[in-house]
Amino acid sequence: DTEVTQTPKHLVMGMTNKKSLKCEQHMGHRAMYWYKQKAKKPPELMFVYSYEKLSINESVPSRFSPECPNSSLLNLHLHALQPEDSALYLCASSQDMGQGFQPQHFGDGTRLSIL
Amino acid sequence: DQQVKQNSPSLSVQEGRISILNCDYTNSMFDYFLWYKKYPAEGPTFLISISSIKDKNEDGRFTVFLNKSAKHLSLHIVPSQPGDSAVYFCAASSFNFGNEKLTFGTGTRLTIIP
């Protein structure tokens, strides 16, 4: 069982829809991440939140809007997506880096299909 | 620009034998290297890591070796078990103002033959 929970597991949406992906962890981790993974490709970093503040945005288009309402929750708001945005979206979390290196823990992802 | 490469897309190994997965990198500033295992319909699961100042780390059946001069690392699994069949990703960690960034390789699909 994963300790990072992502909902929904699958999402199909049209290009004009607005939807949100949700990620939750209760491990007390203070860094949270969004990754995008296309078929047969490695995960690619999109955003990093550290202590609920956005610290890295890997030049992601504005149709993806992250939000971190509290230390346990991370959302990814989607609007006006394109068919090429269809992918597996993975959330990860990690411990405070002040305690030494800690690996990132991943959720099972949301498989997104844009019609 | 692929900074982390796994040149073998697939590998088949007999059960009980040693599985060796390889990874090459180009950026000498990476601080840690990690291996993740991924089953279909699941997220990557952390397996083992190694600091850039070490050359070996062992955890049970899993051992990671790092050769900094060659910019090469490998994961050894011994003995291999059917449950080890999965896609294995090598990842390299770098830090920017305290924020960690993982760069993944393209993955190697390991199949353990009973």
Side-chain angles (χ1 to χ4, degrees):
Chain A
D1 286 340
T2 181
E3 295 177 84
V4 178
T5 305
Q6 290 188 244
T7 54
K9 290 193 182 304
H10 302 275
L11 178 62
V12 179
M13 58 186 285
M15 288 189 283
T16 59
N17 293 156
K18 284 185 181 181
K19 295 285 184 183
S20 297
L21 309 185
K22 179 179 171 181
C23 174
E24 201 163 359
Q25 58 87 13
H26 295 288
M27 295 179 281
H29 290 176
R30 303 313 300 267
M32 296 186 76
Y33 312 78
W34 280 116
Y35 289 83
K36 174 181 179 179
Q37 186 178 17
K38 301 280 282 184
K40 299 190 187 304
K41 296 286 188 182
E44 293 183 349
L45 182 66
M46 300 174 71
F47 302 104
V48 180
Y49 271 82
S50 178
Y51 289 86
E52 300 153 51
K53 291 191 185 333
L54 182 64
S55 55
I56 296 180
N57 176 342
E58 290 287 286
S59 302
V60 179
S62 59
R63 57 186 185 269
F64 295 92
S65 175
E67 179 199 17
C68 189
N70 59 60
S71 60
S72 301
L73 192 55
L74 184 66
N75 298 319
L76 186 62
H77 302 298
L78 315 172
H79 174 53
L81 295 194
Q82 303 297 310
E84 61 266 26
D85 297 322
S86 297
L88 179 69
Y89 288 83
L90 291 162
C91 174
S93 68
S94 64
Q95 189 53 277
D96 177 2
M97 291 309 304
Q99 300 183 24
F101 174 76
Q102 296 287 336
Q104 294 180 25
H105 295 261
F106 284 81
D108 288 340
T110 293
R111 186 158 299 281
L112 176 66
S113 298
I114 307 300
L115 300 179
Chain B
D1 176 25
Q2 191 73 28
Q3 295 189 64
V4 180
K5 298 179 185 178
Q6 293 175 255
N7 292 318
S8 297
S10 63
L11 175 68
S12 293
V13 174
Q14 207 76 32
E15 182 180 358
R17 306 295 289 266
I18 184 171
S19 295
I20 301 176
L21 297 98
N22 294 303
C23 179
D24 298 294
Y25 63 95
T26 56
N27 186 348
S28 57
M29 299 303 291
F30 288 131
D31 300 285
Y32 285 86
F33 299 91
L34 303 87
W35 285 95
Y36 282 86
K37 173 181 178 180
K38 188 177 186 302
Y39 292 120
E42 293 185 12
T45 301
F46 170 72
L47 270 179
I48 192 169
S49 64
I50 187 168
S51 165
S52 60
I53 62 173
K54 304 280 189 185
D55 55 19
K56 178 183 175 181
N57 188 25
E58 190 172 354
D59 184 1
R61 296 187 298 117
F62 303 93
T63 303
V64 57
F65 295 92
L66 176 62
N67 183 333
K68 283 192 72 174
S69 61
K71 293 192 175 67
H72 176 84
L73 66 154
S74 60
L75 175 68
H76 293 210
I77 307 173
V78 57
S80 301
Q81 299 174 353
D84 296 330
S85 295
V87 177
Y88 289 77
F89 288 98
C90 167
S93 174
S94 56
F95 292 91
N96 183 15
F97 298 102
N99 298 300
E100 183 194 17
K101 179 177 175 180
L102 280 183
T103 304
F104 284 86
T106 48
T108 296
R109 181 175 300 280
L110 175 65
T111 301
I112 305 303
I113 304 164

